[in-house]
Each structure stands twice: as structure tokens, then as C-alpha cells.
Amino acid sequence: MAEMTVAELIKQLEQVDPEAQVRLATQPNYPFEYTLGEVVEVEDGICYIGQGEQRGYLGGDAREALGWGH
């Protein structure tokens, strides 16, 4: 996937339920889900979303929707 701007992220998020919880899915071969941590912008104009707490293994529906198989 190409790099994403904040505007592109906001556009994608506008397509989902604004009351839905947000999680971070990682490691397609051994998938976990995390809450989000802090959001920061550094001097070079890059926005980082920190990893929060691990919530467990990523569910099958989410893996399928992300195209991660299994």
C-alpha cells in the first residue's frame, strides 16, 4: 500500500460508523489487534499513531476483510 496522508485517512474513516471502536491490526501471518495510542506529528510533517494495548488475536472477519486469508 502506498503512503497515506491525514486527509486520505479522514476520507476513509468518514465511510464507517463514527461510533465504531478503532483498532490497529498487525502482523498478517500472526495477526493481533491493538487499541490506538497517542497521535503525534513530528517536525518533518509525518503523523504517527502510537500502538495502544494488545486486545488479543485478530478475528477471522477482520482478517478476511483485510485480505489476510485464513
Side-chain angles (χ1 to χ4, degrees), residues 8-64:
E8 292 167 334
L9 176 59
I10 290 169
K11 186 174 181 178
Q12 286 190 20
L13 290 172
E14 287 176 339
Q15 305 302 310
V16 298
D17 179 354
E19 299 300 317
Q21 294 183 26
V22 178
R23 300 279 171 83
L24 175 65
T26 65
Q27 306 178 160
N29 293 323
Y30 197 67
F32 287 101
E33 64 176 90
Y34 294 84
T35 60
L36 297 183
E38 290 189 52
V39 177
V40 298
E41 182 178 2
V42 295
E43 289 182 25
D44 56 357
I46 298 176
C47 176
Y48 288 92
I49 301 172
Q51 176 180 307
E53 296 180 14
Q54 183 178 335
R55 303 294 296 176
Y57 294 103
L58 186 64
D61 290 346
R63 287 195 313 265
E64 185 176 321

